[in-house]
Amino acid sequence: MARGAATEEPVRQRLLTEATRLFAERGFESTSVQEIVAAAGVTKGAMYHYFASKDDLLHEIYGRVLRMQMERLTTFADASGPIAERLHAAARDVVMTTVENLDDSKVFFRSMHQLSPEVYKIVRADRRRYHERFRDLVIEGQRGGVFRGDVPAEMVVDFFFGAVHHLGTWYHPGGPLTGPEIGRHFADLLLRSLAPVG
Amino acid sequence: MARGAATEEPVRQRLLTEATRLFAERGFESTSVQEIVAAAGVTKGAMYHYFASKDDLLHEIYGRVLRMQMERLTTFADASGPIAERLHAAARDVVMTTVENLDDSKVFFRSMHQLSPEVYKIVRADRRRYHERFRDLVIEGQRGGVFRGDVPAEMVVDFFFGAVHHLGTWYHPGGPLTGPEIGRHFADLLLRSLAPVG
DNA sequence: ACAAGCATACCGACTGGTCGGTCAGGTCGG
DNA sequence: CCGACCTGACCGACCAGTCGGTATGCTTGT
């Protein structure tokens, strides 16, 4: 009967989708479990069947985002070609991905600190690994003399991802700029600011 | 006995200070009014004597930050000297001010969306005016040919302030970089990314 | 082939507790 | 004795999480 595969859309998935939407809209603390299950068309019992807690639901949302972003970054970082091009492509991609999944991004930067201390640590560690991978690209360029070396790579990454995370604050689909356009501009700004002296 | 002026530190001020600290630490929704008044050494009645609501308390915190930042920006923007220098000084200053008042900044970007719709609109409008003042500096430089013109000024401002707002996420006093150092680096990154072609 | 046994998926009333906000009243300087 | 300042008990709303129960269908022994 091909059950669990595709009745319409599995309950677990619907819960994640609706929770993401609501958390992005009103924040984690201002969204009740009751609202989430109502939006997904189920009851609380169903939610606590699939997730250990409201916290766990948030954690799952983060896990999904982090896994996807890390996967994409690795693809671009490990490609062949000049370091400047690889960094540009990776930077451009993360902006486009962020714009395409704006709700995920909003939840991320608004509600991360609402996780329990233990789960928060795990998420921070994952995020750190991601930043380090990105930072290594900058360092590689600096070592090769392609990027200027008089600026800390770590700080450049924080600078850039600050800008990326804040897309959720000001970007609206249908605005004057599309995702790919912003991606190109952001990547250009990053690469230019790293251009070697002289 | 010089009441309302300066017994030790006025109750109203203590409430604002402690509320800022707690909101920055745990977020607006996760901080109860009870915790705030306990930290300030008073009771709920005292808080509701000075503030109309918990929301109003948050609004006051924002008002203070916005007024200060706007005042400082105006000083740097209206100074004399080349546009590049004025923008550099303004950018450097906003980073230093943000680092020096990190709690204010954390509250700002974490809890702004928890305000009531009406108050939220007011804060957004104030913030917009601030961004516009900053954007006008970029446009001035572009018109004068000092900055490259192939990048939307509005977006550059969002890019830069994204990075500034996120200082609260990663900056810790006592880390490898001081506020002024980060200020200089950030301003350098901004100015370099605006350097004209060729 | 069929029933007993069991796992999965889900329901919804309920509980213990927290929260923002109110209010009647006390205190004290001018 | 008034009004600004402040107290602390209290209220109604709400919330995360629990629990006893139902329905369905797969597995397995015979």
Side-chain angles (χ1 to χ4, degrees):
Chain A
M1 194 55 91
R3 256 331 197 92
T7 5
E8 287 222 12
E9 193 191 4
V11 170
R12 197 189 130 92
Q13 200 49 236
R14 282 212 313 272
L15 282 166
L16 277 172
T17 306
E18 295 301 320
T20 304
R21 193 175 55 79
L22 288 165
F23 289 163
E25 195 180 306
R26 345 190 205 281
F28 179 75
E29 295 287 336
S30 300
T31 304
S32 72
V33 172
Q34 201 53 243
E35 287 173 312
I36 297 167
V37 298
V42 291
T43 57
K44 285 220 254 184
M47 201 218 91
Y48 281 96
H49 177 70
Y50 289 108
F51 302 96
S53 61
K54 192 187 173 189
D55 227 78
D56 188 39
L57 191 52
L58 186 57
H59 186 199
E60 279 297 307
I61 293 173
Y62 284 174
R64 227 178 21 172
V65 178
L66 284 167
R67 274 192 300 275
M68 185 191 60
Q69 292 205 324
M70 191 52 152
E71 201 181 302
R72 299 188 72 102
L73 173 57
T74 304
T75 306
F76 286 101
D78 292 351
S80 63
I83 178 64
E85 277 177 26
R86 278 182 284 141
L87 180 62
H88 192 281
R92 190 163 169 273
D93 182 73
V94 74
V95 170
M96 279 166 34
T97 310
T98 300
V99 165
E100 273 161 33
N101 306 282
L102 213 58
D103 276 352
D104 286 327
S105 174
K106 283 181 192 170
V107 176
F108 209 104
F109 104 97
R110 272 188 188 174
S111 306
M112 184 162 41
H113 51 100
Q114 304 290 4
L115 287 164
S116 72
E118 310 91 57
V119 176
Y120 183 67
K121 258 188 185 162
I122 297 170
V123 171
R124 291 264 295 195
D126 281 345
R127 193 72 197 157
R128 187 187 191 81
R129 263 190 294 277
Y130 180 80
H131 274 221
E132 278 168 1
R133 189 79 190 79
F134 209 93
R135 180 203 59 189
D136 289 345
L137 288 177
V138 176
I139 292 177
E140 188 185 332
Q142 290 180 320
R143 291 244 170 88
V146 184
F147 302 150
R148 60 190 309 143
D150 63 348
V151 58
E154 194 92 45
M155 202 204 61
V156 172
V157 174
D158 284 323
F159 181 81
F160 183 71
F161 278 101
V164 173
H165 282 149
H166 256 269
L167 280 165
T169 304
W170 61 270
Y171 179 77
H172 293 284
L177 291 166
T178 67
E181 280 166 355
I182 296 176
R184 189 174 54 77
H185 280 306
F186 271 34
D188 284 351
L189 289 170
L190 174 66
L191 267 287
R192 265 183 232 137
S193 66
L194 285 171
V197 244
Chain B
M1 197 52 93
R3 259 328 195 96
T7 7
E8 287 222 13
E9 192 190 6
V11 170
R12 197 189 129 91
Q13 201 49 235
R14 280 211 315 270
L15 283 166
L16 277 172
T17 306
E18 295 302 319
T20 304
R21 194 175 55 79
L22 289 165
F23 289 163
E25 194 180 307
R26 347 190 205 283
F28 180 74
E29 295 286 336
S30 300
T31 304
S32 70
V33 173
Q34 199 54 242
E35 287 173 311
I36 298 166
V37 298
V42 290
T43 57
K44 286 218 260 185
M47 202 217 90
Y48 281 95
H49 176 71
Y50 290 107
F51 302 97
S53 62
K54 192 188 172 189
D55 226 77
D56 188 39
L57 192 51
L58 187 58
H59 185 199
E60 280 297 309
I61 294 173
Y62 284 173
R64 227 180 17 174
V65 177
L66 285 167
R67 275 192 300 275
M68 185 191 59
Q69 291 205 325
M70 192 53 152
E71 200 180 302
R72 299 188 72 100
L73 173 57
T74 305
T75 306
F76 286 101
D78 292 350
S80 63
I83 177 64
E85 277 177 28
R86 276 182 285 139
L87 179 63
H88 192 281
R92 188 164 172 274
D93 181 73
V94 74
V95 170
M96 279 167 30
T97 309
T98 300
V99 165
E100 274 161 32
N101 306 281
L102 212 59
D103 277 353
D104 285 329
S105 176
K106 283 181 190 172
V107 176
F108 210 106
F109 104 98
R110 271 188 188 173
S111 306
M112 185 162 41
H113 52 102
Q114 304 290 5
L115 287 164
S116 72
E118 311 91 59
V119 176
Y120 183 66
K121 259 189 185 161
I122 297 170
V123 171
R124 290 265 293 196
D126 281 345
R127 193 70 195 159
R128 187 188 191 79
R129 262 190 294 277
Y130 180 79
H131 273 221
E132 278 167 0
R133 190 77 191 79
F134 208 92
R135 181 203 60 189
D136 289 345
L137 288 177
V138 175
I139 292 178
E140 188 184 332
Q142 289 180 320
R143 292 243 170 87
V146 183
F147 302 150
R148 59 192 308 141
D150 63 348
V151 57
E154 194 91 45
M155 203 204 60
V156 172
V157 173
D158 284 322
F159 180 82
F160 182 71
F161 277 101
V164 173
H165 282 150
H166 255 270
L167 280 167
T169 304
W170 61 270
Y171 178 77
H172 294 284
L177 292 166
T178 68
E181 279 166 355
I182 296 176
R184 189 174 54 77
H185 280 305
F186 271 34
D188 283 351
L189 288 170
L190 174 65
L191 268 287
R192 266 182 231 141
S193 66
L194 285 171
V197 245

PDB file of all heavy atoms in Angstrom, chain A residues 82-111:
ATOM      1  N   PRO A  82      40.963  28.521  -9.095  1.00  0.00           N
ATOM      2  CA  PRO A  82      41.654  29.487  -8.234  1.00  0.00           C
ATOM      3  C   PRO A  82      40.873  29.734  -6.942  1.00  0.00           C
ATOM      4  O   PRO A  82      39.638  29.708  -6.954  1.00  0.00           O
ATOM      5  CB  PRO A  82      41.704  30.769  -9.077  1.00  0.00           C
ATOM      6  CG  PRO A  82      41.366  30.348 -10.472  1.00  0.00           C
ATOM      7  CD  PRO A  82      40.543  29.120 -10.382  1.00  0.00           C
ATOM      8  N   ILE A  83      41.587  30.015  -5.887  1.00  0.00           N
ATOM      9  CA  ILE A  83      40.965  30.223  -4.588  1.00  0.00           C
ATOM     10  C   ILE A  83      39.951  31.373  -4.608  1.00  0.00           C
ATOM     11  O   ILE A  83      38.880  31.295  -4.003  1.00  0.00           O
ATOM     12  CB  ILE A  83      42.037  30.456  -3.494  1.00  0.00           C
ATOM     13  CG1 ILE A  83      41.382  30.716  -2.126  1.00  0.00           C
ATOM     14  CG2 ILE A  83      42.971  31.590  -3.873  1.00  0.00           C
ATOM     15  CD1 ILE A  83      40.604  29.558  -1.591  1.00  0.00           C
ATOM     16  N   ALA A  84      40.283  32.429  -5.341  1.00  0.00           N
ATOM     17  CA  ALA A  84      39.371  33.573  -5.411  1.00  0.00           C
ATOM     18  C   ALA A  84      38.024  33.165  -5.997  1.00  0.00           C
ATOM     19  O   ALA A  84      36.964  33.572  -5.515  1.00  0.00           O
ATOM     20  CB  ALA A  84      39.993  34.697  -6.242  1.00  0.00           C
ATOM     21  N   GLU A  85      38.072  32.318  -7.022  1.00  0.00           N
ATOM     22  CA  GLU A  85      36.822  31.879  -7.652  1.00  0.00           C
ATOM     23  C   GLU A  85      36.023  30.959  -6.748  1.00  0.00           C
ATOM     24  O   GLU A  85      34.797  31.038  -6.680  1.00  0.00           O
ATOM     25  CB  GLU A  85      37.135  31.156  -8.970  1.00  0.00           C
ATOM     26  CG  GLU A  85      37.350  32.124 -10.125  1.00  0.00           C
ATOM     27  CD  GLU A  85      37.726  31.395 -11.415  1.00  0.00           C
ATOM     28  OE1 GLU A  85      37.358  30.207 -11.568  1.00  0.00           O
ATOM     29  OE2 GLU A  85      38.416  32.010 -12.259  1.00  0.00           O
ATOM     30  N   ARG A  86      36.742  30.072  -6.034  1.00  0.00           N
ATOM     31  CA  ARG A  86      36.038  29.156  -5.125  1.00  0.00           C
ATOM     32  C   ARG A  86      35.377  29.910  -3.981  1.00  0.00           C
ATOM     33  O   ARG A  86      34.240  29.631  -3.620  1.00  0.00           O
ATOM     34  CB  ARG A  86      37.013  28.114  -4.587  1.00  0.00           C
ATOM     35  CG  ARG A  86      37.238  26.953  -5.563  1.00  0.00           C
ATOM     36  CD  ARG A  86      38.167  25.923  -4.972  1.00  0.00           C
ATOM     37  NE  ARG A  86      39.548  26.372  -4.996  1.00  0.00           N
ATOM     38  CZ  ARG A  86      40.420  26.155  -4.018  1.00  0.00           C
ATOM     39  NH1 ARG A  86      40.045  25.490  -2.935  1.00  0.00           N
ATOM     40  NH2 ARG A  86      41.647  26.576  -4.120  1.00  0.00           N
ATOM     41  N   LEU A  87      36.086  30.877  -3.425  1.00  0.00           N
ATOM     42  CA  LEU A  87      35.503  31.660  -2.338  1.00  0.00           C
ATOM     43  C   LEU A  87      34.308  32.468  -2.839  1.00  0.00           C
ATOM     44  O   LEU A  87      33.272  32.554  -2.176  1.00  0.00           O
ATOM     45  CB  LEU A  87      36.554  32.596  -1.724  1.00  0.00           C
ATOM     46  CG  LEU A  87      36.054  33.463  -0.566  1.00  0.00           C
ATOM     47  CD1 LEU A  87      35.584  32.609   0.606  1.00  0.00           C
ATOM     48  CD2 LEU A  87      37.132  34.437  -0.092  1.00  0.00           C
ATOM     49  N   HIS A  88      34.475  33.050  -4.014  1.00  0.00           N
ATOM     50  CA  HIS A  88      33.380  33.837  -4.594  1.00  0.00           C
ATOM     51  C   HIS A  88      32.140  32.971  -4.787  1.00  0.00           C
ATOM     52  O   HIS A  88      31.030  33.365  -4.428  1.00  0.00           O
ATOM     53  CB  HIS A  88      33.831  34.442  -5.933  1.00  0.00           C
ATOM     54  CG  HIS A  88      32.888  35.480  -6.469  1.00  0.00           C
ATOM     55  ND1 HIS A  88      31.720  35.162  -7.114  1.00  0.00           N
ATOM     56  CD2 HIS A  88      32.937  36.851  -6.426  1.00  0.00           C
ATOM     57  CE1 HIS A  88      31.092  36.285  -7.478  1.00  0.00           C
ATOM     58  NE2 HIS A  88      31.805  37.317  -7.059  1.00  0.00           N
ATOM     59  N   ALA A  89      32.344  31.779  -5.321  1.00  0.00           N
ATOM     60  CA  ALA A  89      31.214  30.874  -5.575  1.00  0.00           C
ATOM     61  C   ALA A  89      30.549  30.436  -4.277  1.00  0.00           C
ATOM     62  O   ALA A  89      29.320  30.395  -4.172  1.00  0.00           O
ATOM     63  CB  ALA A  89      31.704  29.654  -6.350  1.00  0.00           C
ATOM     64  N   ALA A  90      31.363  30.139  -3.273  1.00  0.00           N
ATOM     65  CA  ALA A  90      30.816  29.701  -1.982  1.00  0.00           C
ATOM     66  C   ALA A  90      30.027  30.827  -1.325  1.00  0.00           C
ATOM     67  O   ALA A  90      28.943  30.613  -0.779  1.00  0.00           O
ATOM     68  CB  ALA A  90      31.945  29.238  -1.065  1.00  0.00           C
ATOM     69  N   ALA A  91      30.583  32.034  -1.365  1.00  0.00           N
ATOM     70  CA  ALA A  91      29.914  33.185  -0.769  1.00  0.00           C
ATOM     71  C   ALA A  91      28.595  33.472  -1.490  1.00  0.00           C
ATOM     72  O   ALA A  91      27.556  33.702  -0.856  1.00  0.00           O
ATOM     73  CB  ALA A  91      30.829  34.414  -0.844  1.00  0.00           C
ATOM     74  N   ARG A  92      28.648  33.412  -2.801  1.00  0.00           N
ATOM     75  CA  ARG A  92      27.459  33.661  -3.601  1.00  0.00           C
ATOM     76  C   ARG A  92      26.378  32.621  -3.291  1.00  0.00           C
ATOM     77  O   ARG A  92      25.208  32.946  -3.143  1.00  0.00           O
ATOM     78  CB  ARG A  92      27.847  33.589  -5.080  1.00  0.00           C
ATOM     79  CG  ARG A  92      26.789  34.051  -6.035  1.00  0.00           C
ATOM     80  CD  ARG A  92      27.388  34.331  -7.408  1.00  0.00           C
ATOM     81  NE  ARG A  92      26.328  34.533  -8.389  1.00  0.00           N
ATOM     82  CZ  ARG A  92      25.760  33.538  -9.071  1.00  0.00           C
ATOM     83  NH1 ARG A  92      26.164  32.300  -8.882  1.00  0.00           N
ATOM     84  NH2 ARG A  92      24.793  33.800  -9.940  1.00  0.00           N
ATOM     85  N   ASP A  93      26.819  31.387  -3.169  1.00  0.00           N
ATOM     86  CA  ASP A  93      25.862  30.308  -2.926  1.00  0.00           C
ATOM     87  C   ASP A  93      25.189  30.424  -1.566  1.00  0.00           C
ATOM     88  O   ASP A  93      23.991  30.192  -1.446  1.00  0.00           O
ATOM     89  CB  ASP A  93      26.563  28.952  -3.029  1.00  0.00           C
ATOM     90  CG  ASP A  93      25.584  27.805  -2.830  1.00  0.00           C
ATOM     91  OD1 ASP A  93      24.778  27.561  -3.750  1.00  0.00           O
ATOM     92  OD2 ASP A  93      25.593  27.172  -1.755  1.00  0.00           O
ATOM     93  N   VAL A  94      25.938  30.775  -0.547  1.00  0.00           N
ATOM     94  CA  VAL A  94      25.335  30.824   0.778  1.00  0.00           C
ATOM     95  C   VAL A  94      24.303  31.952   0.851  1.00  0.00           C
ATOM     96  O   VAL A  94      23.276  31.824   1.527  1.00  0.00           O
ATOM     97  CB  VAL A  94      26.397  30.966   1.895  1.00  0.00           C
ATOM     98  CG1 VAL A  94      26.987  32.340   1.972  1.00  0.00           C
ATOM     99  CG2 VAL A  94      25.796  30.589   3.241  1.00  0.00           C
ATOM    100  N   VAL A  95      24.537  33.012   0.136  1.00  0.00           N
ATOM    101  CA  VAL A  95      23.556  34.103   0.094  1.00  0.00           C
ATOM    102  C   VAL A  95      22.292  33.642  -0.626  1.00  0.00           C
ATOM    103  O   VAL A  95      21.176  33.841  -0.141  1.00  0.00           O
ATOM    104  CB  VAL A  95      24.140  35.342  -0.613  1.00  0.00           C
ATOM    105  CG1 VAL A  95      23.058  36.377  -0.865  1.00  0.00           C
ATOM    106  CG2 VAL A  95      25.258  35.945   0.217  1.00  0.00           C
ATOM    107  N   MET A  96      22.472  33.007  -1.758  1.00  0.00           N
ATOM    108  CA  MET A  96      21.307  32.535  -2.513  1.00  0.00           C
ATOM    109  C   MET A  96      20.497  31.517  -1.718  1.00  0.00           C
ATOM    110  O   MET A  96      19.270  31.571  -1.672  1.00  0.00           O
ATOM    111  CB  MET A  96      21.764  31.948  -3.851  1.00  0.00           C
ATOM    112  CG  MET A  96      22.024  33.007  -4.897  1.00  0.00           C
ATOM    113  SD  MET A  96      22.935  32.424  -6.355  1.00  0.00           S
ATOM    114  CE  MET A  96      22.364  30.761  -6.531  1.00  0.00           C
ATOM    115  N   THR A  97      21.187  30.585  -1.095  1.00  0.00           N
ATOM    116  CA  THR A  97      20.513  29.572  -0.288  1.00  0.00           C
ATOM    117  C   THR A  97      19.758  30.216   0.882  1.00  0.00           C
ATOM    118  O   THR A  97      18.646  29.821   1.213  1.00  0.00           O
ATOM    119  CB  THR A  97      21.535  28.557   0.265  1.00  0.00           C
ATOM    120  OG1 THR A  97      22.346  28.088  -0.798  1.00  0.00           O
ATOM    121  CG2 THR A  97      20.819  27.391   0.921  1.00  0.00           C
ATOM    122  N   THR A  98      20.383  31.199   1.499  1.00  0.00           N
ATOM    123  CA  THR A  98      19.750  31.891   2.614  1.00  0.00           C
ATOM    124  C   THR A  98      18.475  32.600   2.164  1.00  0.00           C
ATOM    125  O   THR A  98      17.442  32.533   2.829  1.00  0.00           O
ATOM    126  CB  THR A  98      20.723  32.920   3.231  1.00  0.00           C
ATOM    127  OG1 THR A  98      21.876  32.231   3.703  1.00  0.00           O
ATOM    128  CG2 THR A  98      20.079  33.656   4.391  1.00  0.00           C
ATOM    129  N   VAL A  99      18.559  33.261   1.021  1.00  0.00           N
ATOM    130  CA  VAL A  99      17.400  33.981   0.502  1.00  0.00           C
ATOM    131  C   VAL A  99      16.271  33.010   0.141  1.00  0.00           C
ATOM    132  O   VAL A  99      15.099  33.287   0.367  1.00  0.00           O
ATOM    133  CB  VAL A  99      17.805  34.834  -0.719  1.00  0.00           C
ATOM    134  CG1 VAL A  99      16.588  35.287  -1.495  1.00  0.00           C
ATOM    135  CG2 VAL A  99      18.619  36.042  -0.263  1.00  0.00           C
ATOM    136  N   GLU A 100      16.672  31.861  -0.401  1.00  0.00           N
ATOM    137  CA  GLU A 100      15.663  30.877  -0.799  1.00  0.00           C
ATOM    138  C   GLU A 100      14.984  30.208   0.397  1.00  0.00           C
ATOM    139  O   GLU A 100      13.873  29.714   0.289  1.00  0.00           O
ATOM    140  CB  GLU A 100      16.311  29.802  -1.686  1.00  0.00           C
ATOM    141  CG  GLU A 100      16.334  30.184  -3.159  1.00  0.00           C
ATOM    142  CD  GLU A 100      17.364  29.357  -3.920  1.00  0.00           C
ATOM    143  OE1 GLU A 100      17.577  28.178  -3.555  1.00  0.00           O
ATOM    144  OE2 GLU A 100      17.979  29.897  -4.863  1.00  0.00           O
ATOM    145  N   ASN A 101      15.673  30.160   1.517  1.00  0.00           N
ATOM    146  CA  ASN A 101      15.109  29.566   2.727  1.00  0.00           C
ATOM    147  C   ASN A 101      15.102  30.591   3.847  1.00  0.00           C
ATOM    148  O   ASN A 101      15.643  30.372   4.925  1.00  0.00           O
ATOM    149  CB  ASN A 101      15.915  28.345   3.146  1.00  0.00           C
ATOM    150  CG  ASN A 101      16.044  27.335   2.033  1.00  0.00           C
ATOM    151  OD1 ASN A 101      15.128  26.576   1.755  1.00  0.00           O
ATOM    152  ND2 ASN A 101      17.192  27.347   1.365  1.00  0.00           N
ATOM    153  N   LEU A 102      14.462  31.705   3.554  1.00  0.00           N
ATOM    154  CA  LEU A 102      14.546  32.842   4.464  1.00  0.00           C
ATOM    155  C   LEU A 102      13.975  32.537   5.852  1.00  0.00           C
ATOM    156  O   LEU A 102      14.496  33.015   6.864  1.00  0.00           O
ATOM    157  CB  LEU A 102      13.833  34.043   3.851  1.00  0.00           C
ATOM    158  CG  LEU A 102      14.436  35.396   4.199  1.00  0.00           C
ATOM    159  CD1 LEU A 102      15.890  35.472   3.768  1.00  0.00           C
ATOM    160  CD2 LEU A 102      13.643  36.523   3.576  1.00  0.00           C
ATOM    161  N   ASP A 103      12.922  31.713   5.886  1.00  0.00           N
ATOM    162  CA  ASP A 103      12.337  31.370   7.188  1.00  0.00           C
ATOM    163  C   ASP A 103      13.335  30.631   8.074  1.00  0.00           C
ATOM    164  O   ASP A 103      13.479  30.944   9.255  1.00  0.00           O
ATOM    165  CB  ASP A 103      11.080  30.513   7.007  1.00  0.00           C
ATOM    166  CG  ASP A 103       9.853  31.362   6.742  1.00  0.00           C
ATOM    167  OD1 ASP A 103       9.964  32.601   6.859  1.00  0.00           O
ATOM    168  OD2 ASP A 103       8.794  30.803   6.428  1.00  0.00           O
ATOM    169  N   ASP A 104      14.026  29.679   7.494  1.00  0.00           N
ATOM    170  CA  ASP A 104      15.047  28.957   8.246  1.00  0.00           C
ATOM    171  C   ASP A 104      16.059  29.932   8.824  1.00  0.00           C
ATOM    172  O   ASP A 104      16.451  29.832   9.984  1.00  0.00           O
ATOM    173  CB  ASP A 104      15.791  27.963   7.327  1.00  0.00           C
ATOM    174  CG  ASP A 104      14.943  26.749   7.000  1.00  0.00           C
ATOM    175  OD1 ASP A 104      14.144  26.346   7.859  1.00  0.00           O
ATOM    176  OD2 ASP A 104      15.083  26.219   5.894  1.00  0.00           O
ATOM    177  N   SER A 105      16.473  30.860   7.993  1.00  0.00           N
ATOM    178  CA  SER A 105      17.481  31.820   8.409  1.00  0.00           C
ATOM    179  C   SER A 105      16.974  32.723   9.538  1.00  0.00           C
ATOM    180  O   SER A 105      17.679  32.999  10.498  1.00  0.00           O
ATOM    181  CB  SER A 105      17.885  32.664   7.203  1.00  0.00           C
ATOM    182  OG  SER A 105      18.763  33.682   7.597  1.00  0.00           O
ATOM    183  N   LYS A 106      15.735  33.163   9.405  1.00  0.00           N
ATOM    184  CA  LYS A 106      15.149  34.011  10.450  1.00  0.00           C
ATOM    185  C   LYS A 106      15.105  33.272  11.782  1.00  0.00           C
ATOM    186  O   LYS A 106      15.464  33.814  12.822  1.00  0.00           O
ATOM    187  CB  LYS A 106      13.723  34.424  10.070  1.00  0.00           C
ATOM    188  CG  LYS A 106      13.649  35.519   9.035  1.00  0.00           C
ATOM    189  CD  LYS A 106      12.188  35.874   8.757  1.00  0.00           C
ATOM    190  CE  LYS A 106      12.038  36.757   7.534  1.00  0.00           C
ATOM    191  NZ  LYS A 106      10.637  36.907   7.132  1.00  0.00           N
ATOM    192  N   VAL A 107      14.628  32.036  11.738  1.00  0.00           N
ATOM    193  CA  VAL A 107      14.567  31.246  12.965  1.00  0.00           C
ATOM    194  C   VAL A 107      15.957  31.117  13.559  1.00  0.00           C
ATOM    195  O   VAL A 107      16.153  31.288  14.757  1.00  0.00           O
ATOM    196  CB  VAL A 107      13.983  29.846  12.691  1.00  0.00           C
ATOM    197  CG1 VAL A 107      14.013  29.007  13.955  1.00  0.00           C
ATOM    198  CG2 VAL A 107      12.566  29.947  12.166  1.00  0.00           C
ATOM    199  N   PHE A 108      16.913  30.846  12.696  1.00  0.00           N
ATOM    200  CA  PHE A 108      18.273  30.620  13.162  1.00  0.00           C
ATOM    201  C   PHE A 108      18.795  31.780  13.988  1.00  0.00           C
ATOM    202  O   PHE A 108      19.225  31.613  15.126  1.00  0.00           O
ATOM    203  CB  PHE A 108      19.212  30.388  11.973  1.00  0.00           C
ATOM    204  CG  PHE A 108      20.357  29.506  12.319  1.00  0.00           C
ATOM    205  CD1 PHE A 108      20.384  28.199  11.899  1.00  0.00           C
ATOM    206  CD2 PHE A 108      21.390  29.971  13.108  1.00  0.00           C
ATOM    207  CE1 PHE A 108      21.432  27.362  12.235  1.00  0.00           C
ATOM    208  CE2 PHE A 108      22.438  29.150  13.454  1.00  0.00           C
ATOM    209  CZ  PHE A 108      22.455  27.834  13.016  1.00  0.00           C
ATOM    210  N   PHE A 109      18.725  32.957  13.444  1.00  0.00           N
ATOM    211  CA  PHE A 109      19.394  34.054  14.131  1.00  0.00           C
ATOM    212  C   PHE A 109      18.524  34.692  15.211  1.00  0.00           C
ATOM    213  O   PHE A 109      19.011  35.350  16.102  1.00  0.00           O
ATOM    214  CB  PHE A 109      19.919  35.063  13.109  1.00  0.00           C
ATOM    215  CG  PHE A 109      19.129  36.313  12.973  1.00  0.00           C
ATOM    216  CD1 PHE A 109      19.517  37.464  13.655  1.00  0.00           C
ATOM    217  CD2 PHE A 109      18.003  36.358  12.173  1.00  0.00           C
ATOM    218  CE1 PHE A 109      18.784  38.631  13.504  1.00  0.00           C
ATOM    219  CE2 PHE A 109      17.284  37.523  12.037  1.00  0.00           C
ATOM    220  CZ  PHE A 109      17.667  38.657  12.699  1.00  0.00           C
ATOM    221  N   ARG A 110      17.248  34.417  15.183  1.00  0.00           N
ATOM    222  CA  ARG A 110      16.362  34.967  16.207  1.00  0.00           C
ATOM    223  C   ARG A 110      16.251  34.088  17.431  1.00  0.00           C
ATOM    224  O   ARG A 110      16.089  34.571  18.541  1.00  0.00           O
ATOM    225  CB  ARG A 110      14.944  35.124  15.649  1.00  0.00           C
ATOM    226  CG  ARG A 110      14.672  36.417  14.971  1.00  0.00           C
ATOM    227  CD  ARG A 110      13.192  36.487  14.652  1.00  0.00           C
ATOM    228  NE  ARG A 110      12.870  37.620  13.826  1.00  0.00           N
ATOM    229  CZ  ARG A 110      11.670  37.838  13.318  1.00  0.00           C
ATOM    230  NH1 ARG A 110      10.700  36.967  13.557  1.00  0.00           N
ATOM    231  NH2 ARG A 110      11.434  38.903  12.588  1.00  0.00           N
ATOM    232  N   SER A 111      16.248  32.778  17.228  1.00  0.00           N
ATOM    233  CA  SER A 111      15.852  31.878  18.311  1.00  0.00           C
ATOM    234  C   SER A 111      16.916  30.902  18.770  1.00  0.00           C
ATOM    235  O   SER A 111      16.647  30.085  19.648  1.00  0.00           O
ATOM    236  CB  SER A 111      14.605  31.100  17.873  1.00  0.00           C
ATOM    237  OG  SER A 111      13.581  31.974  17.460  1.00  0.00           O
TER     238      SER A 111
END
